[in-house]
Amino acid sequence: MEFQGLFPIWDKLAPQHQQSILSSVISRRLPKGTVLHNGSADCAGFVLIKSGQLRAYILSEEGREITLYRLLEQDICLFSASCVLRSVQFEITVTAEKDTEVYIIPSQVYKTIMEESAPLANFSNELMASRFSDVMWLIEQIMWKSLDTRLARFLLEEAALEESDILKLTHEAIANHLGTAREVVTRMLRYFQNEGYVALTRGTVEITNSDALHDLADN
């Protein structure tokens, strides 16, 4: 699908703004593992995902990661244009979890249009509020939900994304998503296996009782 069909408020933009975007937008392929954006000092631009999957996460001083949210086809990454959002300094990293194709509007172009276009300014504010809502939800999960509940929910979400109950994930990768230590994830997965929820092999977690995981995730 072309850019115009993916951009949610394309028809609300003035013709001159549409032309400005079309003349500057960049199409880019990101192999799995590519770092698209790294910290508030970076300013990759306004990113629209054509296909694939991106992961937005933060990194502690000790090197521990935690996933903030995933971005899928037709999703938009606004924090990658951090220089547009002067009041927001977000030390966020965005990487490609799969081979991904994106459209990128250069930050300066996006900023100029946003200052002139009420529809784009409103859309940007709504998008930013939605992303902060995602982050606040995550904070609530970390503070109030036990790790077994969070792990169950993560495995079910991963299965839905991959459309498979066989997940090719290392314990370290899961720990990075959940913001905990690999050893803690290993102990919890072994508990899940003993309870018959999953089956573990090297680099793979197979969900064997999704109903039990759903019950746990709903706690």
Side-chain angles (χ1 to χ4, degrees):
M1 185 180 294
E2 294 300 318
F3 178 86
Q4 300 94 310
L6 293 172
F7 197 80
I9 60 164
W10 181 256
D11 292 339
K12 295 182 180 179
L13 298 177
Q16 68 269 26
H17 294 148
Q18 292 178 341
Q19 185 56 44
S20 180
I21 290 174
L22 289 178
S23 62
S24 62
V25 68
I26 302 165
S27 179
R28 184 176 171 192
R29 294 178 181 271
L30 307 173
K32 181 179 178 180
T34 300
V35 177
L36 175 64
H37 176 80
N38 189 15
S40 60
D42 198 0
C43 202
F46 179 92
V47 177
L48 176 59
I49 293 86
K50 182 179 181 182
S51 64
Q53 184 171 308
L54 301 179
R55 173 187 176 227
Y57 64 96
I58 53 176
L59 186 67
S60 72
E61 293 181 358
E62 296 78 23
R64 183 170 293 177
E65 301 176 5
I66 185 167
T67 298
L68 298 178
Y69 48 81
R70 258 75 167 269
L71 296 162
L72 309 176
E73 183 177 329
Q74 296 190 41
D75 279 341
I76 291 166
C77 186
L78 184 59
F79 287 130
S80 55
S82 55
C83 55
V84 174
L85 311 170
R86 291 298 184 185
S87 61
V88 179
Q89 296 299 315
F90 220 108
E91 293 295 333
I92 187 173
T93 302
V94 181
T95 61
E97 284 196 302
K98 300 178 179 179
D99 291 342
T100 302
E101 291 185 72
V102 299
Y103 290 111
I104 302 176
I105 304 174
S107 296
Q108 190 55 50
V109 173
Y110 191 86
K111 179 181 179 182
T112 298
I113 297 175
M114 190 170 67
E115 290 172 349
E116 300 174 354
S117 170
L120 187 60
N122 292 336
F123 171 72
S124 301
N125 289 333
E126 290 172 4
L127 183 60
M128 185 165 58
S130 175
R131 291 294 175 231
F132 274 121
S133 178
D134 292 339
V135 173
M136 290 304 300
W137 180 88
L138 175 64
I139 292 172
E140 289 179 358
Q141 298 301 303
I142 294 170
M143 291 181 63
W144 309 120
K145 297 294 184 180
S146 61
L147 182 62
D148 57 349
T149 295
R150 293 174 58 216
L151 178 57
R153 183 170 291 164
F154 171 77
L155 294 175
L156 292 170
E157 290 173 352
E158 195 71 16
L161 281 175
E162 299 298 328
E163 299 182 341
S164 173
D165 286 335
I166 300 176
L167 308 175
K168 294 182 179 180
L169 285 168
T170 65
H171 296 188
E172 183 173 3
I174 296 172
N176 286 341
H177 280 292
L178 297 179
T180 189
R182 178 184 58 79
E183 295 80 5
V184 175
V185 168
T186 296
R187 287 197 296 269
M188 190 61 68
L189 284 173
R190 286 174 179 168
Y191 167 74
F192 280 11
Q193 180 170 247
N194 291 337
E195 294 295 311
Y197 303 164
V198 302
L200 304 176
T201 55
R202 186 174 180 83
T204 301
V205 179
E206 180 180 358
I207 296 175
T208 53
N209 189 339
S210 60
D211 289 340
L213 287 182
H214 276 289
D215 289 342
L216 188 55
D218 289 338
N219 287 343

